Amino acid sequence: MPALFTSRTAPPDTSPQAVDAEVDIQARRIDLGDGFAEAFVVTGYPAEVGHGWLEPLLTYPGRLDVSLHIDPVPPNVAADKLRRQMARLEASSRTGAEKGKLEDFEAEVAAEDARDMASSLARGEGKLFRVGLYITVHAADEQALEEEVGHVHALTSSMLLDARPATYRQLHGWTSCLPLGVDLLGQRRSMDTAALAASYPFASPDLAVETSPTAVLYGLNAGSSGVVVWDRWALDSYNTVILARSGAGKSYFCKLDLLRSMYAGVSAAIIDPEDEYSRLADSVGGTVIRLGAPGVHLNPLDLALDQAAKRDALSRRALFLHTLLGLMLGGALGARQRAALDKALITTYRAAGITADERTWTRPAPLLADLVTTLQGEDDDHAQDLAVQLAPYTTGSYAELFNAPTSRRPVGHLVSWSLRDLPDELKAVGTLLALDSVWRTVADSTPDHPRMVLVDEGWLLMSEPEGAKFLFRLAKAARKRWVGLTVATQDAADVLGSDLGKAVVANAATQVLMRQAPQAIEQITAAFGLSEGEQQHLLTANPGDALLCSGDRRVAFQVVASDTEHQLVTTNPAELTPDSEHTTDDSLDLSVGDEEDDLL
């Protein structure tokens, strides 16, 4: 069955007058009642084409119908045809050489293309198709039609296309451009799979990026009817920075990017300060750890939190506890306090049967209360002081998070650390625990697929010294570990105003700018080298409008989502009805682990 691709750059007139009008057929044009039209057949094509090479025709500002008819050629017929074509070209070349004629370079190029096509067909890498490309130009009157035809001729000539009028066959040409799937002109040209695939506008011509299995649809090109497909994993740095004011749609875009990346086999960890990603994580079978919620416990002494570490897990956990307890107690520990703590940690782990022997690391880990008990049993005054200061975290008002074994392991293809339920006094502690788990998973494992670390509301982490250090360290080391860091923030001034924030932005090859506040636009302009038009676009952008920057490449796009995606990523309270949340029909099967190879 023939395939048909039809594009209309302007909607046709469907009024009753237009439907009932008579059709007057002339040699070079056709009167449709509501206007005039002239059909053309494309008979000549450029020798080489790039992705989306038909985009100029599809984005023509006037009313223009572009129809692409495709018929596959059976492999045996294609192979026989290519053999005859190569034999004919070779015979013509030899005859010309014997007669002393100059070389025919066009024939040589055609012979080389035929050989390449035959080789690809023999190896099963491509197929041969018969393709017909037709164009119908519409206008209100004959004079306007003549002007439009001149414009279209100039456009096709610039594209190295040879468009000839369908003289005395205007009705056939007009009908062939309708979405009926019929080709009454029958003017076909042979194309291989690569050339045919490049005809479809599945990539933005503004971005010279090869499509790949990890490419993600970002949205619709604001300057054309094409789409923006971007592959962050094909760049020098996998990191992405998203800067936008509140309400511009940055979290919406982050969730779409995350969801579509997971279809490509990317696993992810999320630092979610506002619990915005839980519905998405639940729908795709991810792990959600709501720190601070009732019944949720996280044992900082648990060696399983370092599940990716294959060596020195005990000593690494002890070193981290020095940093964690320093944060919990309001500052770095002194030398004597560190010595007392280190001794108590070794004693506490030994009492639980855990030693430097790797075989003991799977035993149940002691709790923070066990460490305090050990400190209380020491004669050292520094140990006693540490025990007193840690009492609120074991028997006091902060004990809920630490008074039981870890309730849920941070494992899976998607782990979301929700920090919204944490009280302000425990925000820094919970954030450090989450960041430590993410970093150790990223740093200690051997990557076999791309991984993403998404930090929403990055300015909250930048305000914490440990959070800022984590972002800086991960931004620098992410590429070596096949990790892409995504930082989204609404406080662009604070991020660009600090050295660590500038380093995070500088190490991101993909930068997405959405609507900006007038107070921050000058700083954004200086940091990204925006033009006057780009500044105005960001100041007046609607929710979902964005500007993608990567080096000297810029493209404006509009974020788009399907109905199912929208239900998973929206945070609009009016749309979050009980019927729209956690429904079986909207759930997406993205579970990995033993079934990781089944990812789409």
Side-chain angles (χ1 to χ4, degrees):
M1 295 293 292
L4 171 67
F5 168 71
T6 302
S7 173
R8 292 172 175 259
T9 59
D13 189 353
T14 56
S15 61
Q17 294 82 0
V19 174
D20 297 336
E22 297 180 357
V23 177
D24 181 16
I25 305 171
Q26 303 176 22
R28 296 286 295 270
R29 63 195 58 175
I30 183 170
D31 184 358
L32 300 175
D34 64 331
F36 291 82
E38 184 170 349
F40 292 86
V41 180
V42 176
T43 58
Y45 296 82
E48 295 182 0
V49 295
H51 291 294
W53 63 277
L54 280 180
E55 187 77 14
L57 285 177
L58 303 180
T59 57
Y60 183 74
R63 183 181 171 189
L64 186 70
D65 294 343
V66 181
S67 182
L68 191 69
H69 294 262
I70 305 166
D71 274 319
V73 179
N76 57 335
V77 176
D80 183 61
K81 180 179 178 180
L82 288 172
R83 279 195 299 269
R84 292 199 304 269
Q85 178 75 358
M86 288 188 293
R88 183 167 57 252
L89 292 171
E90 183 67 23
S92 176
S93 177
R94 291 184 178 181
T95 302
E98 292 175 356
K99 295 181 178 181
K101 295 183 179 180
L102 295 176
E103 295 183 5
D104 187 351
F105 295 105
E106 293 185 359
E108 290 186 3
V109 172
E112 183 178 351
D113 291 343
R115 282 192 294 269
D116 293 340
M117 194 178 299
S119 176
S120 174
L121 187 65
R123 293 194 299 267
E125 297 176 354
K127 294 183 179 181
L128 196 65
F129 300 88
R130 297 289 293 169
V131 178
L133 178 59
Y134 312 124
I135 303 171
T136 300
V137 184
H138 294 265
D141 53 55
E142 295 190 56
Q143 183 177 357
L145 178 63
E146 186 175 350
E147 294 179 359
E148 287 294 318
V149 167
H151 296 324
V152 173
H153 261 304
L155 178 60
T156 55
S157 298
S158 67
M159 299 170 61
L160 302 181
L161 294 176
D162 186 9
R164 302 295 180 89
T167 307
Y168 294 108
R169 303 188 69 188
Q170 287 295 311
L171 179 61
H172 299 75
W174 174 64
T175 306
S176 299
C177 286
L178 294 177
L180 302 176
V182 296
D183 179 9
L184 301 181
L185 292 175
Q187 300 295 315
R188 299 300 183 94
R189 168 72 178 268
S190 297
M191 286 190 184
D192 61 358
T193 304
L196 180 59
S199 303
Y200 287 79
F202 287 165
S204 172
D206 303 311
L207 302 173
V209 177
E210 296 291 337
T211 57
S212 68
T214 52
V216 171
L217 171 66
Y218 274 14
L220 297 179
N221 193 319
S224 67
S225 61
V227 295
V228 175
V229 178
W230 189 253
D231 185 8
R232 64 190 292 177
W233 308 100
L235 305 178
D236 295 336
S237 171
Y238 309 142
N239 299 341
T240 298
V241 171
I242 303 168
L243 303 180
R245 65 181 297 178
S246 179
K250 62 181 180 305
S251 295
Y252 192 98
F253 171 71
C254 287
K255 295 171 194 173
L256 279 180
D257 183 29
L258 170 66
L259 181 61
R260 292 166 179 171
S261 296
M262 293 177 65
Y263 279 115
V266 177
S267 61
I270 307 170
I271 304 299
D272 180 13
E274 297 298 333
D275 195 33
E276 295 184 78
Y277 292 79
S278 296
R279 285 190 302 114
L280 172 61
D282 291 339
S283 297
V284 301
T287 301
V288 180
I289 302 178
R290 295 181 175 88
L291 298 182
V296 176
H297 308 290
L298 186 62
N299 180 14
L301 279 71
D302 194 344
L303 295 182
L305 296 178
D306 292 336
Q307 75 278 359
K310 302 302 181 184
R311 58 182 179 84
D312 301 334
L314 181 60
S315 61
R316 291 188 181 197
R317 179 59 22 184
L319 291 173
F320 167 71
L321 288 170
H322 282 267
T323 303
L324 177 64
L325 267 62
L327 182 62
M328 295 168 70
L329 301 181
L333 301 179
R336 293 184 179 274
Q337 287 180 318
R338 295 178 69 89
L341 175 61
D342 198 62
K343 179 181 178 182
L345 284 171
I346 295 175
T347 302
T348 303
Y349 276 115
R350 186 179 294 117
I354 299 175
T355 64
D357 188 350
E358 184 177 349
R359 292 173 296 180
T360 66
W361 295 350
T362 57
R363 295 175 179 174
L367 300 176
L368 189 61
D370 298 325
L371 175 61
V372 172
T373 301
T374 303
L375 290 170
Q376 290 173 344
E378 298 287 342
D379 295 333
D380 189 351
D381 292 338
H382 296 285
Q384 295 289 336
D385 183 57
L386 287 174
V388 172
Q389 294 186 65
L390 287 174
Y393 297 96
T394 56
T395 58
S397 56
Y398 302 155
E400 174 68 20
L401 184 61
F402 308 107
N403 62 5
T406 301
S407 57
R408 192 165 190 183
R409 303 295 181 190
V411 295
H413 62 292
L414 176 63
V415 179
S416 177
W417 294 85
S418 175
L419 309 179
R420 186 180 66 178
D421 295 329
L422 280 176
D424 292 340
E425 293 78 8
L426 289 179
K427 284 281 189 184
V429 175
T431 299
L432 180 59
L433 286 169
L435 295 180
D436 174 72
S437 176
V438 172
W439 172 253
R440 292 183 182 278
T441 302
V442 165
D444 294 332
S445 61
T446 301
D448 57 358
H449 65 282
R451 298 169 293 175
M452 181 190 300
V453 176
L454 172 57
V455 180
D456 203 352
E457 302 298 348
W459 64 275
L460 294 175
L461 291 186
M462 295 297 294
S463 63
E464 295 287 345
E466 291 297 331
K469 291 178 182 177
F470 165 79
L471 291 181
F472 175 75
R473 179 171 51 174
L474 186 55
K476 288 286 188 180
R479 177 176 175 81
K480 298 178 181 178
R481 294 169 171 83
W482 208 358
V483 173
L485 171 65
T486 299
V487 178
T489 179
Q490 67 183 23
D491 202 337
D494 282 357
V495 172
L496 296 175
S498 66
D499 292 337
L500 291 179
K502 290 179 180 178
V504 172
V505 173
N507 282 276
T510 303
Q511 299 146 355
V512 178
L513 306 178
M514 307 181 84
R515 183 164 184 171
Q516 301 294 325
Q519 297 82 357
I521 193 62
E522 292 186 5
Q523 199 167 10
I524 294 290
T525 299
F528 297 95
L530 302 181
S531 65
E532 182 67 27
E534 291 168 342
Q535 294 180 48
Q536 293 303 318
H537 175 74
L538 295 180
L539 288 173
T540 59
N542 294 319
D545 290 341
L547 178 66
L548 173 62
C549 306
S550 181
D552 58 351
R553 291 171 290 182
R554 308 289 176 89
V555 61
F557 67 93
Q558 170 69 40
V559 177
V560 293
S562 67
D563 292 339
T564 300
E565 289 175 328
H566 178 75
Q567 288 297 324
L568 292 177
V569 304
T570 184
T571 55
N572 186 352
E575 298 177 349
L576 297 180
T577 60
D579 293 338
S580 66
E581 294 189 34
H582 308 293
T583 59
T584 303
D585 294 339
D586 287 345
S587 62
L588 303 178
D589 186 10
L590 291 176
S591 302
V592 292
D594 293 338
E595 301 177 355
E596 184 172 345
D597 293 337
D598 294 335
L599 267 176
L600 295 179

